[in-house]
């Protein structure tokens, strides 16, 4: 007899009270969470996956309520409890939270209390659910920290949250969740805020702990790569319903629902043809108060049939562990034209950047250090070497991707180039309209011209637009300050720009709060283009967007580059996006460029151990040839990567390596580049 | 060509900031109620001559400490009940054993009262000469004490109404001064940072650590007796704002510091905006609503401070009449025990302060309408 699932969600409905009445967020979710399996719940922002997870533990926001359905928990002693029916403050519910079901979150900094040591918080969960003495609990806590891979657990046990790194905080949160041996672990985007390499270690940790304890895991994410890496089963959510569900290989390799197909096609992937243009899902996720009639996905669906998909809700077609919610597989399947295969363009679209003899931007030995001040008098005790001697060229008309993990200095580099920071040393030469300009020393008219020639697109679409100005004023601000054009001409230029970025001209009179994230980013791009720049620095411009919106913006950037002859410096931590959009890639670590060259060379024939580690850490590639990189510090002398490098020799810690030619055609800063044979998960073309 | 995005048209896209703020404010019922009461209070402060039955100085010695007269609606006569609103005159007898005055209504002494009666002439808002009063005795000069009389036989209701003019406006002048000082100093502190910020913050801490009431008492006592009352009024407001600007400066500085790191301010810098343009076009509008909320919460503090100073006798003095000055009459416990209606100005202070607090609460919640 098969064991009942640890938690069975049946026909769950969750709504939010608002001044417009009850807004349904989750409309009929059925999900089984069996022991020993990792079930991934995938969807974009607004689909209701976090709300579902919170509803299981009854920790919804105050405005949210479960309006229907059951959440059946199979307790260890054999009984079954409907969590949805329990009163809010019941004892049973409190004993379930932390005891039977535990949850970990995306942001450990806000989840862990800054007032107590992590040891204190881990042990609190233990003391609440078990009878134990303090000393015994402390030992159990340290043991738990050791199991989750925290270095030096006895010392870290008495540390505060802010004294730990991002990965360590996440481990502390996992320890807190698992200390009472829960039967179900709900992980709500636990690795989204982490670096690729840290993410790889945390994912491996969760998999290992799950296997050891035969736990059920509900893993919520928007990253299909992570799904492929950890999941046994995957459920895809859209607008509060599960539209496809099944074993992970089946769903990801042969997706049935058009939304799943669209998601997979719009994700930048590091396969043989990573330069293939991304396909975007048309339209955007509607707000929950404006759900379409019939099938929720039909306005954006390639296969939608008028008269059917917009009238009646789609049937649930279930078949040996696989489920899809779509008319095209139901009783009306015959009316649909034959399904097109998930289109994958096999020919590599060669983006031939015209090779200019002289580079557009030449950077030599650029340095930017931030002083560390300590003590009552703010004495300078050291420097954070954010940018530590960077030299490279950006050619006109190309897209140079700048990739690296958080803290490597890529954002600081971009901001120094555009003028937000003042560089401490080095030189930057820009091939402006009137001859070469020294960017760092420019004053007056030259500085003014630079401001219009080099523009920036910021990461956060919400924070980068002034909420008090209309779109027209935001986009036209640079022209208004320049003073060259009249009011009327600026207005016309704004309308042209809105056309170019794919927004309606009527939007010029609106305020930013009326737009979605993707639309706001388009406005930000229009602002950057307003002054007809030559170089646009995109500082993580797509990182804060959903996957389907990301692909729209990437396509937009590429077409703008072709039409307007722009040059991009594309700063990002997402290797897939960088591979897709860039002609050349520069890999940055600890303020230095460690490898730079054509995208093909970097991804297919990496020459630096750090590039290899980055590529190996990408989830879902199935590549575990090298063990994941350990935590380490940056060495003050010699190669900055030496403490973490599996190939380091004594000489690496002595001299700082400079960029030199590598066999694959790129430049690499590694003294062992000639002799190392590094691996890459990207298949050969 | 890029695909034209089907905009999911979110509603209210055309609304400016103030429309959103207003919409959020109207949802806060207590705030709206407070706002209405505050509006009424300022209306009273604007046209006290019209609203008060008698003038400020009108007195009637035979009615000293007279209790409130009940309003009767009609008279029983041979023809039945007649609608004739009136109050009854008092007969006053001194009880020599207890030393108290006993007032008994005289059923024969009918004093007709009415709406829009003629009374003492005055100039409405200082411009329009008229003599209509909203409410009062039909016959000029008859004693009508709806809320009782004070020790000289002056009408408490009228004096309280006149007191609103000073009490409600002293808050405004004081807060306006604090506002200017607070924005200036707080803005400099937040915008420049570094050592200037350090020094200004230490100064603020010093000012805030001085105990306020003794400081006010000291400064108010320093005003010579010979200074005319109106100038005393202005000096008092200056004194009040000396201590009042610090909390506003802190708020302004905090907002400046927070906003300096916002991406849209960085974008404005990259667009070429100078510091003046950044401050006035990009930063200031964003926290104007917060400033309004803080200001509306600072006014009650001013009102209470003035009331306290005047009550202690070191603030305003007669002939300038504020609620605090009126409350001086009520300093005597024996007096309160026998004439509790003297505390009406205190009720007026409480109501207006509460209303302003509710209004400020509502404004503060509405100041950030984007958190919806």
């Amino acid at each position: 007899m098969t064991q009942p699932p640890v938690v069975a969600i049946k026909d769950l409905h969750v709504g939010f009270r608002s001044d417009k009445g009850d807004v349904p967020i989750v409309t009929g979710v059925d999900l089984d969470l069996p022991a020993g399996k990792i079930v991934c719940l995938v969807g974009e922002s607004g689909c209701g996956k976090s709300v579902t997870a919170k509803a299981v533990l009854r920790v919804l926001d105050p405005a949210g309520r479960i309006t229907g359905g059951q959440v059946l928990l199979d307790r260890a002693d054999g009984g079954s409890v409907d969590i949805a029916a329990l009163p809010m403050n019941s004892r049973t519910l409190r004993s379930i939270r932390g005891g039977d079901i535990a949850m970990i979150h995306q942001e450990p900094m806000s989840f862990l209390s800054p007032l107590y040591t992590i040891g204190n918080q881990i042990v609190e969960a233990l003391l609440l659910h078990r009878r134990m003495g303090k000393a015994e609990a402390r030992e159990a806590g340290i043991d738990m920290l050791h199991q989750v891979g925290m270095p030096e657990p006895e010392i870290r046990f008495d540390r505060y949250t802010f004294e730990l790194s991002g990965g360590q905080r996440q481990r502390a949160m996992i320890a807190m969740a698992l200390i009472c041996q829960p039967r179900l672990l709900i992980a709500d985007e636990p690795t989204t805020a982490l670096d690729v390499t840290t993410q790889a270690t945390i994912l491996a940790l969760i998999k290992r702990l799950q296997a050891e304890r035969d736990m059920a895991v509900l893993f919520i994410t928007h990253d299909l790569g992570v799904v492929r890496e950890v999941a046994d089963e995957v459920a895809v959510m859209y607008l509060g319903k599960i539209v496809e569900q099944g074993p992970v290989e089946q769903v990801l390799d042969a997706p049935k629902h058009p939304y799943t197909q669209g998601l997979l096609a719009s994700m930048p992937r590091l396969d043989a043809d990573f330069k293939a243009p991304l396909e975007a899902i048309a339209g955007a996720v509607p707000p929950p108060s404006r759900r379409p009639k019939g099938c929720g996905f039909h306005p954006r669906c390639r296969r939608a049939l008028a008269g059917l998909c917009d009238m009646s809700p789609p049937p649930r077609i279930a078949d040996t562990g696989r489920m899809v919610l779509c008319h095209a597989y139901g009783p009306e399947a015959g009316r649909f034209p034959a399904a097109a295969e998930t289109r994958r363009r096999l020919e590599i679209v060669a983006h031939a950047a015209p090779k200019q003899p002289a580079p557009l931007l030449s950077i030599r030995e650029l340095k930017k250090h931030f002083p560390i001040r300590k003590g009552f008098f703010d004495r300078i005790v050291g420097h954070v070497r954010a940018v530590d001697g960077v030299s490279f060229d950006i050619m006109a008309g190309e897209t140079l991707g700048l990739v690296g993990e958080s803290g490597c200095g890529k954002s600081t580099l971009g901001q120094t180039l555009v003028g937000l920071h003042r560089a401490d040393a080095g030189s930057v030469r820009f091939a402006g309209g009137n001859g070469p300009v020294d960017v760092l020393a420019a004053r007056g008219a030259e500085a003014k011209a630079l401001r219009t020639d080099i523009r920036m697109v910021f990461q956060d679409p919400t924070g980068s637009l002034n909420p008090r100005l209309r779109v027209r004023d935001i986009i036209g601000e640079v022209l208004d300050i320049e003073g060259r054009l009249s009011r009327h001409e600026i207005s016309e230029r704004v309308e042209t720009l809105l056309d170019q970025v794919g927004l309606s001209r009527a939007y010029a009179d609106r305020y930013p709060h009326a737009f979605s994230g993707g639309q706001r980013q388009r406005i930000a791009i229009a602002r950057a283009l307003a002054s007809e720049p030559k170089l646009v620095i995109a500082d993580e411009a797509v990182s804060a967007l959903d996957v389907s919106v990301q692909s729209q913006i990437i396509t937009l950037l590429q077409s703008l580059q072709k039409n307007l002859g722009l040059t991009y410096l594309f700063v990002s931590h997402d290797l897939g996006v960088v591979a897709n959009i860039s002609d050349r890639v520069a890999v940055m670590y600890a303020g230095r460029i460690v490898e730079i060259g054509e995208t093909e060379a970097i991804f297919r024939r990496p020459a630096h151990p750090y590039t290899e580690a980055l590529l190996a850490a990408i989830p879902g590639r199935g590549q575990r040839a090298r063990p994941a990189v350990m935590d380490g510090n940056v060495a003050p002398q010699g190669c900055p990567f030496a403490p973490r490098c599996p190939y380091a020799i004594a000489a690496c810690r002595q001299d700082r390596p400079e960029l030199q030619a590598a066999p694959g055609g790129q430049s690499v800063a590694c003294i062992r580049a000639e002799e190392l044979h590094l691996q890459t998960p990207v298949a050969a073309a | 060509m890029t695909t034209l995005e089907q905009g999911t048209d979110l509603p209210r896209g055309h609304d400016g900031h103030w429309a959103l703020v207003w919409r959020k404010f109207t949802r806060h019922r207590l705030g709206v109620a407070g706002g209405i009461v505050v509006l009424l209070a300022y209306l009273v402060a604007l046209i006290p001559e019209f609203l008060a039955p008698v003038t400020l100085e009108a007195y009637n010695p035979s009615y000293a400490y007279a209790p409130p007269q009940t309003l009767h609606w009609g008279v029983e006569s041979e023809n039945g009940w007649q609608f004739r609103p009136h109050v009854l005159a008092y007969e006053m007898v001194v009880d020599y054993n207890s030393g108290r005055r006993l007032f008994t209504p005289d059923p024969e002494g009918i004093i007709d009262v009415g709406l829009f009666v003629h009374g003492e002439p005055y100039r409405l808002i200082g411009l329009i000469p008229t003599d209509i009063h909203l409410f009062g005795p039909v016959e000029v000069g008859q004693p009508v004490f709806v809320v009782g009389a004070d020790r000289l036989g002056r009408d408490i209701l009228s004096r309280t109404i006149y007191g609103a003019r000073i009490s409600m406006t002293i808050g405004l002048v004081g807060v306006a001064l604090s506002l200017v000082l607070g924005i200036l100093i707080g803005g400099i502190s937040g915008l420049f940072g570094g050592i200037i910020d350090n020094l200004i913050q230490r100064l603020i801490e010093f000012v805030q650590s001085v105990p306020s009431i003794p400081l006010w008492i000291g400064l108010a006592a320093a005003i010579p007796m010979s200074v005319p009352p109106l100038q005393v009024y202005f000096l008092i407001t200056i004194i009040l704002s000396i201590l009042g600007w610090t909390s506003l400066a802190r708020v302004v500085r905090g907002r400046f510091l927070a906003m300096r790191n916002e991406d849209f301010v960085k974008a404005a810098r990259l667009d070429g905006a100078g510091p003046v343009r950044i401050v006035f076009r990009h930063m200031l509008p964003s926290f104007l609503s917060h400033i309004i909320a803080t200001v509306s919460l600072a006014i009650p503090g001013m009102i209470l401070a003035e009331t306290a100073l005047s009550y202690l006798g070191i603030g305003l003095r007669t002939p300038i009449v504020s609620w605090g000055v009126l409350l001086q009459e009520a300093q005597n416990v024996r007096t309160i025990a026998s004439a509790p209606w003297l505390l009406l100005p205190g009720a007026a202070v409480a109501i207006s302060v509460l209303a302003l607090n509710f209004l400020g609460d509502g404004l503060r919640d509405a100041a950030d309408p984007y958190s919806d």
Side-chain angles (χ1 to χ4, degrees):
Chain A
M1 200 199 55
T2 47
Q3 243 184 340
V6 174
V7 167
I9 303 174
K10 294 200 185 308
D11 198 33
L12 183 66
H13 288 261
V14 179
F16 271 68
R17 262 185 315 244
S18 79
D19 50 339
K20 306 180 201 58
D22 263 340
V23 179
I25 301 286
V26 176
T27 51
V29 161
D30 288 284
L31 195 57
D32 282 347
L33 305 170
K37 289 245 179 358
I38 302 185
V39 175
C40 261
L41 194 51
V42 181
E44 298 180 287
S45 48
C47 69
K49 52 193 196 298
S50 275
V51 172
T52 310
K54 288 187 187 171
V56 169
L57 270 181
R58 303 287 301 277
V59 288
L60 290 167
D61 292 337
R65 286 174 321 137
I66 297 183
T67 50
Q70 298 176 308
V71 178
L72 296 169
L73 166 68
D74 182 52
R75 302 205 78 171
D77 54 11
S80 167
V81 157
D82 180 11
I83 301 179
L86 291 172
M88 267 310 284
N89 290 322
S90 74
R91 242 189 174 176
T92 327
L93 196 53
R94 286 207 301 273
S95 77
I96 291 177
R97 288 183 192 141
D100 292 279
I101 307 179
M103 191 165 182
I104 60 177
H105 281 238
Q106 175 173 354
E107 197 40 62
M109 198 59 191
S110 53
F111 194 68
L112 295 168
S113 167
L115 294 175
Y116 296 95
T117 61
I118 54 164
N120 208 313
Q121 296 177 63
I122 294 173
V123 156
E124 179 183 25
L126 199 55
L127 293 174
L128 277 173
H129 289 274
R130 307 247 192 289
R131 301 204 171 288
M132 228 185 237
K134 283 233 174 118
E136 207 186 327
R138 188 191 159 87
E139 266 195 47
I142 295 181
D143 180 54
M144 191 73 227
L145 280 178
H146 179 73
Q147 283 185 44
V148 299
M150 179 82 84
E152 298 170 317
E154 310 80 19
I155 302 181
R156 297 273 147 78
F157 189 85
D158 293 315
R159 287 278 150 85
Y160 289 89
T161 319
F162 47 82
E163 295 178 295
L164 306 176
S165 75
Q168 290 171 348
R169 282 181 210 145
Q170 199 55 277
R171 290 175 204 271
M173 202 158 76
I174 294 174
M176 203 166 116
L178 296 183
I179 189 95
C180 290
Q181 320 267 19
R183 301 178 60 231
L184 168 66
L185 173 69
I186 302 180
D188 191 354
E189 307 236 30
T191 57
T192 308
L194 299 175
D195 283 331
V196 157
T197 49
T198 321
Q199 175 176 272
T201 47
I202 298 290
L203 289 178
L205 172 67
I206 292 179
K207 277 174 80 168
R208 174 171 66 83
L209 291 169
Q210 181 264 331
E212 281 171 10
R213 290 146 191 261
D214 204 35
M215 228 174 16
V217 175
L218 175 61
F219 198 106
I220 296 173
T221 179
H222 63 274
D223 185 345
L224 288 170
V226 168
V227 172
R228 198 183 277 276
E229 178 75 25
V230 294
D232 296 308
E233 268 193 41
V234 60
V236 180
M237 258 184 102
Y238 185 78
L239 275 191
K241 284 186 164 41
I242 294 185
V243 296
E244 186 162 2
Q245 188 180 349
V248 65
E249 303 83 27
Q250 288 184 29
V251 172
L252 293 185
D253 290 333
K256 285 190 177 171
H257 196 280
Y259 179 57
T260 322
Q261 292 170 345
L263 271 186
L264 284 164
S266 63
M267 253 182 49
R269 20 201 345 195
L270 287 172
D271 296 275
D273 48 350
F274 53 72
K275 286 290 232 179
L278 302 169
E279 297 182 24
I281 308 179
V285 179
S289 48
R290 296 211 184 164
R291 273 159 210 256
K293 262 177 50 179
C295 172
F297 187 60
H298 85 260
R300 309 173 71 189
C301 183
R302 270 195 313 242
R303 305 187 66 193
L305 264 189
L308 178 62
C309 297
D310 51 354
M311 302 294 284
S312 53
R316 197 167 168 276
I317 317 294
D319 163 37
T320 55
R322 188 89 193 261
M323 187 279 275
V324 66
L325 196 75
C326 182
H327 281 287
Y329 298 92
E332 308 275 350
R335 288 169 59 178
F336 285 82
E341 295 287 321
T342 314
R343 285 193 295 275
R344 304 266 306 276
R345 311 267 182 82
L346 292 179
E347 77 276 11
I348 297 175
V349 177
H351 172 73
K355 293 282 180 271
Q356 303 285 338
L360 183 65
L361 195 70
S362 276
I363 304 164
R364 296 283 174 268
E365 290 299 314
L366 188 64
K367 290 198 178 139
K368 175 69 194 163
H369 296 166
F370 293 103
I372 307 173
R373 293 178 193 272
K374 273 194 155 170
F376 188 73
F377 295 102
D378 281 344
R379 264 182 308 226
I380 297 179
V381 296
H383 287 271
V384 174
R385 294 195 174 73
V387 180
D388 200 19
V390 159
S391 308
F392 62 92
D393 292 335
I394 306 180
M395 303 299 177
E398 75 165 352
T399 303
L400 178 67
L402 184 56
V403 84
E405 297 182 306
S406 54
C408 71
K410 55 191 194 301
S411 279
T412 312
L413 175 60
Q415 288 169 3
T416 311
L417 289 175
V418 86
L420 283 173
H421 293 302
R422 200 186 300 278
D424 291 321
S427 80
V428 179
R429 303 198 71 76
F430 179 72
N434 305 327
V437 176
D438 184 350
V439 171
L440 300 179
R443 295 279 177 272
E446 274 191 341
K448 227 177 145 189
L450 276 178
R451 265 205 304 268
T452 51
D453 281 336
I454 307 181
R455 301 279 287 162
M456 189 166 210
V457 180
F458 293 88
Q459 172 175 5
D460 182 13
T462 312
S464 67
L465 302 180
N466 189 336
R468 303 296 313 280
L469 292 180
R470 291 178 202 268
V471 166
R472 177 199 310 285
D473 296 322
I474 293 174
I475 297 179
E477 177 81 354
V478 61
L479 299 169
D480 197 21
I481 295 176
E482 210 189 359
R484 216 170 19 100
L485 301 175
S486 74
R487 187 131 249 151
H488 180 68
E489 286 169 332
I490 293 180
S491 211
E492 279 185 358
R493 174 108 184 102
V494 166
E495 294 188 347
T496 317
L497 286 163
L498 285 173
D499 284 338
Q500 283 179 331
V501 298
L503 290 174
S504 151
R505 289 184 172 207
Y507 290 171
D509 281 326
R510 301 216 186 153
Y511 289 88
H513 62 80
F515 298 102
S516 68
Q519 288 170 320
R520 285 185 206 154
Q521 203 63 314
R522 287 175 196 257
I523 297 173
I525 292 173
R527 172 175 63 188
L529 297 177
S531 59
E532 294 178 53
K534 299 202 177 52
L535 172 65
V536 175
I537 302 181
D539 189 1
E540 305 261 15
V542 297
S543 306
L545 304 172
D546 278 329
V547 165
S548 59
V549 179
Q550 232 181 45
S551 52
Q552 290 175 356
I553 301 295
I554 291 174
T555 318
L556 171 66
L557 286 173
Q558 285 171 324
S559 74
L560 284 170
Q561 183 177 41
K562 203 154 59 106
N563 294 339
L564 303 175
L566 297 169
T567 309
Y568 287 137
L569 175 62
F570 196 87
V571 179
S572 178
H573 64 275
D574 188 332
L575 290 158
V577 169
V578 167
N580 187 274
I581 200 178
S582 315
D583 301 307
R584 292 194 309 145
V585 173
V587 181
M588 203 163 164
Y589 183 81
R592 310 223 191 110
I593 305 275
V594 295
E595 190 169 356
I596 177 169
E598 304 274 323
T599 318
E600 285 288 321
I602 302 277
F603 280 86
R604 293 200 209 282
R605 296 175 296 276
H608 195 280
Y610 180 57
T611 318
E612 185 198 43
L614 274 184
L615 290 170
I618 299 171
R621 313 302 321 162
Q623 181 92 357
R624 279 288 154 265
R626 297 238 159 260
V629 183
M630 302 117 359
D631 288 312
N633 292 321
V634 176
Q637 213 190 4
C639 176
F641 189 59
R644 290 171 72 178
C645 183
Y647 307 100
I649 54 177
C652 291
R653 298 174 217 275
Q654 305 289 6
D655 304 312
R656 177 183 148 155
E658 297 297 334
L659 283 170
Q660 63 203 56
Q666 67 264 47
S667 303
V668 61
C670 178
I671 59 178
R672 299 192 66 193
E674 308 272 310
E675 53 197 28
L676 291 175
H677 294 290
L678 299 175
Q679 293 173 320
T680 168
V682 181
Chain B
M1 196 53 189
T2 57
T3 51
L4 194 70
E5 224 200 50
Q6 312 300 327
T8 47
D9 280 356
L10 302 170
R12 313 203 294 251
H14 288 279
D15 289 344
H17 179 78
W18 296 112
L20 284 181
V21 169
W22 175 253
R23 187 172 286 123
K24 191 159 182 204
F25 173 69
T26 45
R27 291 212 306 253
H28 192 285
R29 290 200 208 106
L30 264 183
V32 172
I36 293 177
V37 173
V38 167
L39 271 178
L40 287 175
Y42 278 107
L43 187 67
V44 169
L46 187 64
I47 46 169
E49 301 94 343
F50 173 68
L51 296 169
V54 295
T55 63
L56 201 54
E57 294 85 21
Y59 67 98
N60 195 331
S62 50
Y63 276 79
Y65 290 124
Q69 293 168 308
T70 339
L71 184 64
H72 297 278
W73 291 104
V75 183
E76 283 291 336
S77 72
E78 328 64 69
N79 302 333
W81 189 86
Q82 221 181 1
F83 178 72
R84 193 182 162 189
H86 66 277
V87 295
L88 296 175
Y90 279 133
E91 274 181 15
M92 197 265 293
V93 170
V94 179
D95 177 3
Y96 284 104
N97 284 333
S98 62
R100 287 167 56 171
R101 299 161 187 253
L102 296 169
F103 290 91
T104 40
D106 176 9
E108 304 301 320
I110 293 179
I111 304 174
D112 291 308
V113 297
L115 289 175
F116 300 108
V117 297
H118 290 272
E120 292 289 328
Y122 62 92
R123 281 178 173 271
L124 189 65
I125 323 181
L127 296 172
I128 310 167
T130 175
D131 65 350
I132 307 277
H133 293 258
L134 177 67
F135 167 84
V138 172
E139 224 181 290
V140 180
Q142 288 289 328
V144 173
F145 299 104
V146 185
V147 199
D150 67 359
R151 69 184 161 88
L152 287 185
R154 294 177 293 200
D155 181 23
I156 301 267
L157 180 65
S158 300
R159 291 189 35 104
T160 307
I161 289 176
Y162 276 97
R165 192 163 44 180
I166 301 289
S167 284
M168 296 298 293
T169 55
I170 202 167
L172 293 184
V173 177
V175 164
L177 271 174
S178 293
L179 189 66
V180 170
L181 277 176
I183 290 187
L184 205 58
I185 299 180
I188 292 175
S189 188
L191 199 57
F192 291 109
I195 200 167
I196 298 179
D197 181 31
N198 223 343
L199 284 176
I200 292 181
Q201 290 311 301
R202 303 291 86 81
L203 171 70
I204 287 178
E205 278 157 22
F206 174 73
V207 170
Q208 280 185 333
S209 61
V210 174
S212 51
I213 293 193
L215 181 67
W216 285 333
I217 293 176
L219 287 172
I223 301 177
M225 281 286 167
S226 57
V227 176
L230 207 56
Q231 288 192 9
V232 171
Y233 173 87
F234 281 112
L235 284 174
I236 297 283
T237 60
I238 293 174
I239 291 172
L240 289 178
S241 43
I242 282 178
L243 290 190
W245 63 269
T246 49
S247 47
L248 193 60
R250 270 260 158 90
V251 168
V252 169
R253 169 206 180 244
R255 298 239 118 233
F256 264 105
L257 281 179
M259 217 173 294
R260 259 195 339 191
N261 293 327
E262 289 275 355
D263 278 348
F264 67 81
V265 172
K266 287 186 196 166
R269 272 174 62 192
L270 292 179
D271 285 342
V276 176
R277 190 181 171 109
I278 290 183
V279 167
F280 283 99
R281 185 170 160 82
H282 292 273
M283 288 171 117
L284 210 47
S286 286
F287 61 80
L288 205 53
S289 25
H290 290 269
I291 290 186
I292 290 177
T294 309
V295 156
S296 65
L297 290 172
I299 296 181
M302 292 285 183
I303 294 178
L304 286 172
E306 180 276 321
T307 307
L309 285 181
S310 305
Y311 176 77
L312 292 174
I314 49 174
L316 297 171
R317 293 183 292 276
T318 50
I320 302 257
V321 166
S322 74
W323 290 333
V325 172
L326 291 174
L327 282 174
Q328 275 194 328
E329 304 272 325
Q331 280 181 343
N332 192 324
V333 172
R334 203 204 75 187
T335 321
I336 296 179
S338 55
W341 48 88
L342 290 171
L343 289 174
L344 176 68
V349 170
I351 291 174
S352 55
V353 165
L354 265 181
L356 277 164
N357 271 315
F358 289 145
L359 175 65
D361 257 352
L363 282 179
R364 193 178 44 204
D365 280 348
D368 183 15
Y370 306 114
S371 54
D372 263 348

